[in-house]
Amino acid sequence: MDQDEILLDTEDRMEKAAAVFKNALTGLRTGRATPGLVDSIRVNYYGSPTPLKQMAVISCPEPQQIVIKPFDASSLSEIVKAIQSSDAGLAPNSDGRLIRLNVPPLSTERRREFVTRVGKLAEDARVAIRNIRRDGNKHAETAEKEKTMTEDLCKATKEQVQELTKKYEGLVNDLASSKEKEVMND
């Protein structure tokens, strides 16, 4: 791999790690109803785990309520089971056609739990970014050993990989702190 390939691959993978973290944050409750709270819940649909957003229309007609209308009415009971067994902490009310989820306001203790969870997710994302940095540095060292990259170019590549690491760790930290503030202030 040459320098451009290493940097491109490293940046692409770091971008994906940050996107996974950002997506995980949308599933965290803040006291307001959003489809992101339930759309990634997996439902056992004909023997395979299927994301809820692929099986139903999810809407929020009120700030404290989520309404789920399945495309297939026969999957209603499986959706209810999946919501009950998830860690969303919501109690589904089904009327035979659709499911209503009332999002209760968060207690201070529950908010602190969510802040702790945000911190853990952020640390997981930072670890993933550091692992990607290690891989990028390893590719540069391998290219130097194979004489396809000079020692100076290898050092410059490692410095650029470190700059990418700082950039994406900063992004993860910013996302985490804004989500923590959102959870504590709602």
Side-chain angles (χ1 to χ4, degrees):
M1 290 180 107
D2 68 349
Q3 182 185 24
D4 292 338
E5 288 175 333
I6 292 170
L7 293 174
L8 201 63
D9 178 58
T10 301
E11 185 169 21
D12 184 48
R13 290 175 59 204
M14 286 183 180
E15 180 77 43
K16 287 178 183 172
V20 166
F21 173 65
K22 189 174 183 179
N23 189 36
L25 289 182
T26 61
L28 285 178
R29 242 175 66 194
T30 59
R32 285 191 309 265
T34 61
L37 294 175
V38 294
D39 65 5
S40 62
I41 291 176
R42 299 222 173 249
V43 179
N44 187 11
Y45 189 58
Y46 291 112
S48 68
T50 308
L52 182 57
K53 65 182 171 186
Q54 292 180 7
M55 298 178 58
V57 175
I58 304 169
S59 61
C60 297
E62 298 173 25
Q64 298 296 315
Q65 189 177 68
I66 300 171
V67 174
I68 302 168
K69 183 165 182 14
F71 301 131
D72 178 8
S74 66
S75 65
L76 200 71
S77 63
E78 289 296 326
I79 292 173
V80 168
K81 284 181 198 170
I83 293 169
Q84 287 171 335
S85 65
S86 74
D87 63 351
L90 300 171
N93 299 322
S94 173
D95 68 1
R97 291 180 305 125
L98 46 88
I99 301 167
R100 294 183 195 284
L101 301 170
N102 290 317
V103 180
L106 294 173
S107 66
T108 306
E109 183 181 325
R110 193 79 169 126
R111 288 177 194 272
R112 287 191 187 115
E113 288 174 18
F114 281 129
V115 167
T116 304
R117 194 154 157 215
V118 167
K120 184 187 178 324
L121 290 170
E123 185 55 32
D124 290 347
R126 286 191 291 269
V127 167
I129 289 168
R130 290 182 200 127
N131 287 339
I132 295 165
R133 173 187 62 192
R134 185 195 62 222
D135 292 346
N137 288 343
K138 197 178 287 183
H139 286 304
E141 290 167 359
T142 303
E144 181 188 1
K145 284 178 186 168
E146 293 173 351
K147 304 288 187 209
T148 58
M149 186 183 284
T150 64
E151 185 179 333
D152 290 341
L153 194 56
C154 178
K155 186 176 178 185
T157 303
K158 285 183 174 183
E159 287 171 2
Q160 288 178 311
V161 166
Q162 181 60 34
E163 288 173 19
L164 287 171
T165 303
K166 285 181 183 174
K167 173 185 169 186
Y168 285 101
E169 280 187 337
L171 176 67
V172 165
N173 292 338
D174 293 345
L175 288 169
S177 67
S178 68
K179 187 66 171 187
E180 287 171 1
K181 287 177 189 165
E182 184 182 341
V183 167
M184 292 308 288
N185 293 332
D186 264 359

